[in-house]
Amino acid sequence: MAPTTDKTSAFVPLLILLLFPRSYSSEESIDSDNFIPRSDVDLLEFPLNLEFLEAEFFLYGAFGYGLDKVAPKLTQGGPTPTGVRWAHLDPFTRDVIKQFAYQEGNTLDLSAASFAKVADSAFGSPLHPPFDPGASGLHFLLASYHVPYVGLTGYVRTIPKLRGLLPEGYPSIAIYEHSRTKVPPYGITVEEFTNRFSALRDRLGHAGLKDEGLVVPPSLGGEGRSMGNVLAGDADSVAYDRTPEEILRIVYGGGNEHVPDGFYPKGANGRIARSHLQAS
């Protein structure tokens, strides 16, 4: 059963109260409605926009509808995502994706074509047929692997209070047992897909190693002793961080925070994202 609108709507204000850092100067501008430093609002607004991206993707995949129906007061209007649809999921995967959707809470392009472009970029050439997250449960979980981790690295970077947070690993956990499974019709293993997606995010971010696939050399695994890598993190198993600029380069799909495309064809919302569009 879906969470009620009232409970969902109450979650974001609670999150804001719990997570805002207090390390900024009192001279900064203050939000007149909430008496919160404008810089704090901007920092949390940015990753929350990514949470909307995740929530819409999971909700439509599992139910065929999104936040406008599940939490209309939370979304406060806005256009329906482009190209998003109900996915052909087996009962087990649908149950898992529903749980993802309940946890997550500008026009978004969540079409199959958008994910196909990501997959083609990851492999360096077009896949035939084009990758479609709605084709099966395994395809959808692979697409899920690409989005939430980017949002988590944004939280770790922009909210200093969360620097000790463990990596967000639920999509990885869901597909880890299938790491040796070949994804039809490509004959490419799940492990290879995750390694390619991770390498793509590193390449687009332009900031070195901040991403790893499901199976890695022991030197890159947890505490330098594990090949299993469902919770990608640094040498201390702490989540990697990314700046807003790095994240925009990835979700736009072109490695440039000033040029919108990918999941945000018109650019991401919020003061930080818009400032980069104005500078382009």
Side-chain angles (χ1 to χ4, degrees), residues 15-182:
L15 183 68
I16 292 173
L17 290 174
L18 290 175
L19 300 186
F20 271 136
R22 295 299 175 188
S23 59
Y24 295 92
S25 167
S26 60
E27 296 179 359
E28 293 183 269
S29 62
I30 303 294
D31 184 291
S32 59
D33 295 325
N34 300 309
F35 302 100
I36 296 173
R38 170 58 65 182
S39 59
D40 285 7
V41 174
D42 294 343
L43 287 175
L44 190 55
E45 180 185 50
F46 184 84
L48 278 178
N49 269 280
L50 298 176
E51 295 296 326
F52 276 92
L53 170 66
E54 297 172 30
E56 293 283 52
F57 176 59
F58 290 140
L59 285 168
Y60 272 96
F63 301 111
Y65 52 79
L67 286 168
D68 283 340
K69 182 172 181 178
V70 174
K73 292 183 180 179
L74 175 64
T75 59
Q76 296 182 359
T80 300
T82 300
V84 68
R85 63 184 177 87
W86 182 85
H88 295 284
L89 308 180
D90 57 89
F92 174 79
T93 305
R94 187 170 302 282
D95 180 67
V96 171
I97 297 303
K98 285 179 182 178
Q99 294 177 53
F100 291 174
Y102 290 150
Q103 188 186 51
E104 293 298 345
N106 287 356
T107 300
L108 300 174
D109 184 355
L110 293 171
S111 64
S114 185
F115 281 94
K117 186 184 296 185
V118 170
D120 291 348
S121 296
F123 283 91
S125 61
L127 294 180
H128 300 287
F131 181 81
D132 180 356
S136 73
L138 191 56
H139 287 75
F140 196 88
L141 287 173
L142 281 170
S144 301
Y145 173 85
H146 183 66
V147 177
Y149 179 71
V150 180
L152 183 275
T153 55
Y155 274 120
V156 175
R157 176 73 179 197
T158 59
I159 312 297
K161 196 170 183 178
L162 298 184
R163 282 196 177 276
L165 190 68
L166 290 175
E168 185 173 37
Y170 51 84
S172 299
I173 293 171
I175 57 175
Y176 178 65
E177 66 173 315
H178 301 292
S179 60
R180 300 294 185 184
T181 301
K182 291 186 177 180

